[in-house]
Amino acid sequence: MISDEMNNYPKRIVAPSFDDAKRELFEKYATNFKIEGQKTILKGGFLGFGQKKYVEVTYRTIDRAANFENVKRSPGIYSVNGAYQKNISDEAFEASKAELLKKAPVVQSNAVQNQKLEEIKQMISDLQLKPQVSSEEHPTIERIKELLSENEFSYQYIKFIVEKIKKSFPLEKLEDFDYVQRNVVDWIGETICIAPDRVARKPHVVIIVGPTGVGKTTTLVKLAAQYVLAAKSSQKSPKLCFITTDSMRVGAYEQLERYGSIFGVPVQKAENANDVKQIYDNVCDSVDAIFIDTSGYSPNDASHIGNMKMTLDVQGLNPDIYLAVMASSKARDLANIMKNYEPFGYNSVIITKCDESEQYGNIISVLHEKHKSVSYITNGQQPAGFIEKANVVDFLIRLENFKVDRVHIEDKFGEQ
């Protein structure tokens, strides 16, 4: 018989790990116990700092009329319910141990697991896409790869260009670096898609969406100014309407109101789709264009982005929707922004703050990979500052350390 200590009510033991707890139980009770549960707890530290994780195991003792002294402690392992299995080989021990660890509960939350999984996937993707340096690679190809990398083209885009070089040129042509370089510049230009001018009907509705800090309000006002100047060149005086749906940023309404006063236009607030619909119905017959400012959210803030999409989803609005992104954004961030704002069905992209970046390979790469067109490029924080229709030539002449034949690219891409 076992000692008086062994009775049939739940007990608890705390150990650094689940395996440690089982070993202690075996040392104390042999096979006369059954594990009923476990949980992770924190112990130690000072004022909540420096605490360590321990495992608290709930078990119940069992009267098996077993004699602990007669148990032969030959090499073995513990089963999940605490029973001791004897005479098991080392290989079987390791295999069973691995199986046991697989069955152990995972203490990390699903969110943490998913985040780590995504990070691992991205690391694997980067390694797969990153062009590998090979001692057998032709020097011309190596130099082209270096130039593309200096201009911050993505790994995938560089891989695309390198494969195109290998398919297009025999070995003797690779000896002529200037010839290969000229063709690569042409290929880059061919991957840049410029959005065509849209035929606007009255009232022309313009909406700019995008993450916080990209300069959406300033860009919206620049588009409005451009619209007015184009109308005046045709001896017209257009009537405008400004609407803001930005209730998140402090001072957003006041900022747009100051700009509205320059145009002599009041600014109206809209907090939901009903507000937008009511304002639109009230002004649609009396104005030529409506410019709608929006809140900026992190591209990962799916909840707020979804709510903003519903606010702008008004029947009959038929807007031109532009996605604003900064020229200095990393290629990976740009890809994430374009993907997460896809539900808006934006017509094209506006590149902002071009004065803050010297490389455009990141922009060209992601636009190509996401099959998106570009409409405008802007710089400066003033509403009267620089904004112009995007064109291929401007992107190509900004390629650093490439020898760009300006006359040739003007002839090839100037008409676009």
Side-chain angles (χ1 to χ4, degrees), residues 68-205:
F68 176 72
E69 296 298 329
N70 293 330
V71 175
K72 183 179 179 181
R73 302 193 181 184
S74 57
I77 63 168
Y78 305 95
S79 66
V80 174
N81 66 1
Y84 187 73
Q85 302 175 9
K86 300 184 291 182
N87 298 324
I88 300 178
S89 67
D90 290 342
E91 290 184 4
F93 175 82
E94 292 300 327
S96 298
K97 179 180 177 182
E99 184 65 25
L100 183 64
L101 290 174
K102 289 181 182 178
K103 295 179 180 179
V106 178
V107 297
Q108 289 180 308
S109 67
N110 287 336
V112 174
Q113 290 184 24
N114 291 338
Q115 180 181 356
K116 290 185 178 297
L117 182 60
E118 288 301 318
E119 291 175 357
I120 293 171
K121 285 181 179 179
Q122 188 62 56
M123 290 172 61
I124 294 173
S125 175
D126 287 349
L127 289 173
Q128 290 174 336
L129 294 175
K130 186 174 182 178
Q132 300 298 312
V133 177
S134 170
S135 59
E136 299 179 358
E137 203 82 279
H138 193 282
T140 291
I141 294 178
E142 288 295 341
R143 180 55 182 151
I144 292 295
K145 286 163 64 176
E146 290 174 2
L147 289 174
L148 292 170
S149 180
E150 290 169 7
N151 282 271
E152 297 190 3
F153 283 89
S154 69
Y155 295 140
Q156 187 169 352
Y157 193 95
I158 295 174
K159 182 180 178 182
F160 157 72
I161 293 294
V162 169
E163 290 176 350
K164 195 171 178 68
I165 292 174
K166 292 179 178 179
K167 291 178 181 178
S168 303
F169 302 123
L171 184 60
E172 58 270 19
K173 287 292 186 182
L174 288 179
E175 299 298 329
D176 187 347
F177 176 77
D178 288 342
Y179 175 79
V180 174
Q181 179 182 217
R182 176 186 172 118
N183 279 271
V184 168
V185 172
D186 283 354
W187 294 341
I188 294 172
E190 290 166 3
T191 65
I192 302 171
C193 180
I194 304 298
D197 291 329
R198 293 175 61 85
V199 178
R201 67 176 182 82
K202 183 180 177 179
H204 182 200
V205 180

Side-chain angles (χ1 to χ4, degrees), residues 197-217:
D197 291 329
R198 293 175 61 85
V199 178
R201 67 176 182 82
K202 183 180 177 179
H204 182 200
V205 180
V206 175
I207 300 174
I208 299 181
V209 298
T212 183
V214 298
K216 293 187 297 298
T217 303

Side-chain angles (χ1 to χ4, degrees), residues 262-275:
I262 297 173
F263 293 92
V265 176
V267 176
Q268 304 195 53
K269 289 182 179 181
E271 295 184 357
N272 51 52
N274 289 334
D275 291 345

Side-chain angles (χ1 to χ4, degrees), residues 3-36:
S3 68
D4 293 337
E5 180 188 9
M6 308 207 33
N7 42 55
N8 198 28
Y9 62 85
K11 299 180 178 65
R12 291 177 175 81
I13 184 172
V14 176
S17 70
F18 185 51
D19 284 345
D20 290 333
K22 288 188 299 179
R23 289 189 179 93
E24 287 188 33
L25 290 172
F26 179 76
E27 292 288 342
K28 191 170 185 179
Y29 300 113
T31 61
N32 299 310
F33 67 92
K34 181 179 181 180
I35 292 176
E36 295 187 340

